[in-house]
Amino acid sequence: MKLDVNGATHEVDATPDMPLLWVIRDLLNLTGTKFGCGMAQCGACTVHLDGKAVRSCQLPVSAVGDHAVTTIEGIGKTPEGTKIQQAWLALDVVQCGYCQSGQIMSATALLTRTPNPSDADIDAAMSGNICRCGTYVRIREAIHQAATGTPAGLQVIVDGSPA
Ligand code: FES
């Protein structure tokens, strides 16, 4: 079957029920998208389907059809993805990194539909992405920074003095 991934058409030899995650990782060698729980509960496998965040571990490749798939390898080509990745670097969000492809995909989908999200918007959009290292505070700050171009309050957390 043919798949549109990161703006290019790929022909893959997959059974219809093969999860999109394994098509991306094993057939297309795009290994930035991670396997976490395998039950669509942790968010590590998040990719975009037409700009919306979906869990690729539970999505059969036959359900993708003509929809555009974007993975972490392609998200930096979008304006929102660039802003999110730059804020992630500026605030040193990542700890072990395993969850972070999924975090960036969910954050970019949020920023695309809600250009200036509130804390509540962020918490709602990111609640399905689990981070065992507990980077949630930096993730929230990085999304604010990507939205506004200015860091909001992280200084207080880092060194205990007012920003
Ligand atoms: Fe380690 Fe999130 S950075 S699981």
Side-chain angles (χ1 to χ4, degrees):
M1 62 188 74
K2 287 187 178 168
L3 281 183
D4 175 354
V5 180
N6 297 333
T9 302
H10 298 267
E11 207 154 320
V12 294
D13 184 9
T15 56
D17 60 347
M18 189 174 190
L20 177 61
L21 174 62
W22 300 123
V23 173
I24 290 168
R25 286 183 56 87
D26 291 352
L27 303 185
L28 299 179
N29 293 318
L30 296 170
T31 54
T33 306
K34 302 304 183 195
F35 174 80
C37 66
M39 297 161 58
Q41 297 292 309
C42 79
C45 68
T46 304
V47 299
H48 288 186
L49 217 53
D50 292 338
K52 289 189 185 138
V54 297
R55 309 296 188 232
S56 63
C57 73
Q58 285 287 312
L59 186 70
V61 66
S62 57
V64 174
D66 293 334
H67 298 292
V69 178
T70 307
T71 69
I72 189 68
E73 289 87 353
I75 199 64
K77 293 181 195 157
T78 68
E80 292 82 7
T82 300
K83 283 186 206 168
I84 287 287
Q85 289 185 322
Q86 286 173 344
W88 246 244
L89 286 171
L91 295 183
D92 228 350
V93 168
V94 175
Q95 194 157 322
C96 84
Y98 198 82
C99 73
Q100 296 290 331
S101 296
Q103 304 281 4
I104 285 172
M105 297 308 288
S106 290
T108 303
L110 167 64
L111 201 64
T112 303
R113 68 176 183 273
T114 309
N116 195 5
S118 64
D119 281 350
D121 294 331
I122 293 171
D123 291 348
M126 303 302 292
S127 65
N129 286 79
I130 307 301
C131 176
R132 67 183 176 184
C133 301
T135 62
Y136 301 111
V137 173
R138 292 200 298 274
I139 286 172
R140 188 195 273 178
E141 295 302 326
I143 294 171
H144 280 306
Q145 177 161 331
T148 64
T150 52
L154 190 67
Q155 191 85 20
V156 175
I157 295 155
V158 170
D159 64 17
S161 60

